[in-house]
Amino acid sequence: MVGPLRVTRSIVVPEGDLRWRFSRSSGPGGQSVNTADSRVELSLDVTTTTALGPIQRSRAMERLAGRLVDGVITVTASEHRSQLRKREAALERLAALLADAVAPPPPRRRRTKPSRAAVERRLAAKRRRALTKRLRRPDDD
């Protein structure tokens, strides 16, 4: 029905690792009397999934530490009327969350120093501004 979750080109979470839960919710599709379960919860156990390698797993555990409950990440969707659209929204959210969590860290910034000419220009501008303000003051004679 839904199939595996593609996170990146190299990371594909098998359908068996995903756990779905459906419950009533407020919002679109939730307030009618004869509704089906209208909130979708999608869970993935980051500690046991086969989709992540050891480095990716440790990176995900570290970056998602605030959202994990016993190593399980859960996303919910209840903003659409149809359950299919809610499932798709939950899958997209989980994929985006995992992609951000396992992304390699950005390269470190190379420290640079302003050139001597740039420092001189800045100091000259400060001197000009100070002179302008000094000339505006009333004379003390």
Side-chain angles (χ1 to χ4, degrees):
M1 179 166 91
V2 176
L5 172 65
R6 181 170 290 283
V7 178
T8 63
R9 283 193 314 223
S10 60
I11 300 173
V12 178
V13 179
E15 191 174 1
D17 288 356
L18 302 173
R19 285 196 309 274
W20 295 94
R21 240 182 89 208
F22 306 98
S23 60
R24 292 278 175 120
S25 79
S26 61
Q31 61 272 55
S32 304
V33 177
N34 298 323
T35 62
D37 290 339
S38 63
R39 182 173 69 187
V40 173
E41 291 184 15
L42 177 60
S43 300
L44 172 70
D45 192 344
V46 178
T47 57
T48 61
T49 184
T50 57
L52 301 175
I55 295 171
Q56 293 168 330
R57 180 173 287 115
S58 65
R59 214 180 269 159
M61 295 291 285
E62 178 184 323
R63 292 183 182 163
L64 296 173
R67 292 198 55 163
L68 292 175
V69 177
D70 297 329
V72 177
I73 183 88
T74 303
V75 295
T76 62
S78 61
E79 68 275 6
H80 300 290
R81 284 191 73 82
S82 77
Q83 195 181 87
L84 180 63
R85 295 278 311 269
K86 290 174 188 170
R87 284 175 178 244
E88 291 168 353
L91 284 168
E92 288 172 14
R93 278 193 200 133
L94 184 62
L97 214 62
L98 281 176
D100 287 345
V102 299
R108 292 189 55 94
R109 179 185 171 276
R110 283 174 73 193
R111 301 190 72 175
T112 58
K113 204 162 85 170
S115 66
R116 185 176 295 167
V119 171
E120 286 299 324
R121 282 193 303 271
R122 184 177 62 83
L123 293 176
K126 283 170 72 97
R127 279 192 291 272
R128 279 194 307 275
R129 185 75 180 142
L131 177 62
T132 302
K133 289 186 171 202
R134 200 174 330 120
L135 291 175
R136 287 183 190 155
R137 290 188 205 147
D139 289 335
D140 287 340
D141 49 3

